[in-house]
């Protein structure tokens, strides 16, 4: 069973009223990265390839000049089609007996963009990352709500103890 947004909010920090939804909590975009070299998924280990942190005031990943932000002076990512890694702005802590998933805000997919999720394990705590797929040019303000995080009750053996534990906090 999926838990309520009020329950999820107890495990997401910080949260505002605007982030709290009936069935989950919206997460914001803290940073956008574009990979610049191959990573590697091995049979025994993995390596995350180096990546560029995009400037939210720039016109895109290849822009030579900083354009000075959005129309209202707000920093904005102007993203052409491609695959990006986003870091969420909130620390989530997956409680025992639960598993987490990310869904895109529907406004994101209505703009022909998609956020992909992997499994958020019981016991994991950190500012996680996700794959942002952009199929049509889009503008995303730094700090805007882009995702909805949900928690479902789940059986599990042990808790997360991997290399991403405590990341980005
Ligand atoms: O979309 C997601 C899904 C999960 N996570 C976090 C929570 C999860 O508990 C952790 C590790 O995920 P997973 O176990 O899938 O990664 P892995 O590549 O198998 O890493 P490890 O070897 O540490 O298990 O990453 C994210 O940041 N984004």
């Amino acid at each position: 069973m999926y838990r309520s947004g009020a329950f999820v909010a107890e495990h997401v920090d910080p949260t505002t009223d605007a982030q709290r939804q009936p069935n989950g909590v919206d997460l914001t975009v803290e940073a956008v990265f574009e990979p610049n070299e191959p990573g590697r998924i091995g049979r025994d280990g993995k390596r995350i390839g180096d990546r560029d942190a995009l400037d939210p005031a720039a016109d895109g990943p290849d822009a030579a000049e900083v354009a000075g932000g959005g129309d209202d002076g707000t920093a904005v990512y102007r993203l052409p089609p491609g695959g990006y890694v986003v870091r969420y702005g909130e620390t989530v802590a997956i409680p025992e007996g639960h598993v987490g998933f990310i869904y895109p805000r529907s406004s994101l997919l209505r703009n022909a963009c998609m956020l992909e999720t992997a499994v958020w394990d019981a016991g994991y705590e950190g500012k996680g990352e996700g794959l942002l797929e952009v199929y049509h040019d889009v503008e995303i303000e730094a700090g805007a709500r882009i995702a909805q995080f949900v928690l479902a009750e789940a059986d599990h053996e042990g808790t997360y103890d991997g290399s991403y534990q405590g990341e980005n906090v």
Side-chain angles (χ1 to χ4, degrees), residues 48-62:
I48 307 304
D50 195 23
R51 53 211 194 171
D52 297 320
L54 302 188
D55 187 335
D59 269 326
D62 298 324

Side-chain angles (χ1 to χ4, degrees), residues 104-126:
R105 273 186 73 186
S106 86
S107 298
L108 195 72
L109 62 82
R110 291 166 202 260
N111 278 316
C113 300
M114 185 62 186
L115 266 175
E116 299 291 352
T117 185
V119 171
W120 297 65
D121 304 282
Y124 166 87
E125 182 167 0

Side-chain angles (χ1 to χ4, degrees), residues 46 88 94 100 102 116-122 124 127-131 160-165 167:
K46 77 270 185 182
Y88 303 110
I94 314 300
I102 285 279
E116 299 291 352
T117 185
V119 171
W120 297 65
D121 304 282
Y124 166 87
K127 277 185 183 175
E129 298 183 340
L131 169 62
Y160 183 71
D161 190 26
S163 59
Y164 301 115
Q165 184 64 289
E167 64 181 331

Side-chain angles (χ1 to χ4, degrees), residues 75-98:
V76 60
Y77 295 100
R78 293 193 173 90
L79 303 175
Y84 304 88
V85 177
V86 293
R87 178 181 300 156
Y88 303 110
E90 294 74 23
T91 299
V92 304
I94 314 300
E96 291 199 19
H98 291 81

